[in-house]
Amino acid sequence: MNKQYGTILIVDDNPSILTALRYCLSETFEHILTLDRPDDILKMMTQETVDLVLLDMNFTLGVNSGQEGLLWLRTIRKHHPQTPVVLLTAYADVSLAVKGLKNGAADFIVKPWDNDELVRKLKDVLDMQSEIVTLDEMETEHIRHAIDRCHGNLSKAAELLGITRQTLYNKMKRL
């Protein structure tokens, strides 16, 4: 039996696409959540543990710029930085793909997709996610360890880390 991955959230305004993806990914994911409007993404992600988001780039009829998808990508990355987002679009636009990747997308899939290729890409994203610790995570762990070692004395922790106390405060705000 194949390894099953956790929960995927698919966001696309086309009900046929949602149905096709649900069917295509049913063997790969334990749970498949779908939304036909991006407005509910953050609410859904606070109610459910989402391991991966598959996000359409365009939601307004007749608008194909991908700006909505980029906006939602940035929003998801801001609120859930550890959750990978794969972009989905009907328009094979290389510059849009590059913008998406620069904004933190884990990958990019063009409609119509090849089912095997889609599944492979999504698995690759999740497999890589579980293997790699981000620099932010390493820094956070390092800071926590230093603070613990100094019994909460931030001046000593900053000294131990080789940074100013103000820099340590600024880094702690992001934790």
Side-chain angles (χ1 to χ4, degrees):
M1 178 146 163
N2 289 341
K3 172 184 174 188
Q4 273 218 311
Y5 292 79
T7 301
I8 184 169
L9 171 59
I10 306 167
V11 188
D12 196 300
D13 57 329
N14 183 332
S16 303
I17 296 284
L18 293 176
T19 301
L21 285 168
R22 182 181 284 280
Y23 180 76
C24 170
L25 299 173
S26 63
E27 300 282 317
T28 308
F29 289 90
E30 289 175 35
H31 302 287
I32 299 174
L33 307 170
T34 58
L35 289 173
D36 58 8
R37 303 182 8 245
D39 307 3
D40 297 327
I41 292 173
L42 293 180
K43 182 179 173 193
M44 173 81 74
M45 289 181 79
T46 56
Q47 295 170 346
E48 302 275 348
T49 301
V50 174
D51 298 298
L52 177 81
V53 178
L54 185 55
L55 177 68
D56 189 24
M57 294 294 294
N58 297 296
F59 294 95
T60 304
L61 200 61
V63 176
N64 302 325
S65 67
Q67 292 308 307
E68 287 173 294
L70 291 174
L71 170 84
W72 284 104
L73 168 64
R74 286 191 296 271
T75 303
I76 294 166
R77 300 291 301 146
K78 181 180 176 191
H79 294 276
H80 301 274
Q82 303 311 319
T83 306
V85 179
V86 174
L87 301 175
L88 185 63
T89 185
Y91 303 92
D93 182 339
V94 175
S95 66
L96 184 60
V98 170
K99 267 188 199 167
L101 294 171
K102 281 183 178 175
N103 278 283
D107 211 332
F108 197 86
I109 293 166
V110 177
K111 299 175 196 171
W113 62 85
D114 170 90
N115 286 347
D116 294 337
E117 179 75 4
L118 170 75
V119 169
R120 186 190 59 73
K121 276 188 175 189
L122 296 178
K123 283 180 175 181
D124 284 352
V125 165
L126 286 168
D127 289 345
M128 279 184 11
Q129 188 78 5
S130 62
E131 290 172 17
I132 297 171
V133 177
T134 66
L135 286 173
D136 284 344
E137 288 172 317
M138 285 176 100
E139 183 181 57
T140 299
E141 191 56 38
H142 198 62
I143 288 171
R144 284 199 177 116
H145 180 69
I147 292 170
D148 286 348
R149 232 175 110 186
C150 297
H151 307 288
N153 182 324
L154 297 183
S155 295
K156 279 188 179 175
E159 190 179 319
L160 183 66
L161 291 166
I163 58 177
T164 66
R165 189 180 163 131
Q166 187 58 50
T167 301
L168 179 58
Y169 278 133
N170 291 340
K171 289 183 180 296
M172 288 172 61
K173 283 181 195 168
R174 292 185 290 150
L175 299 181

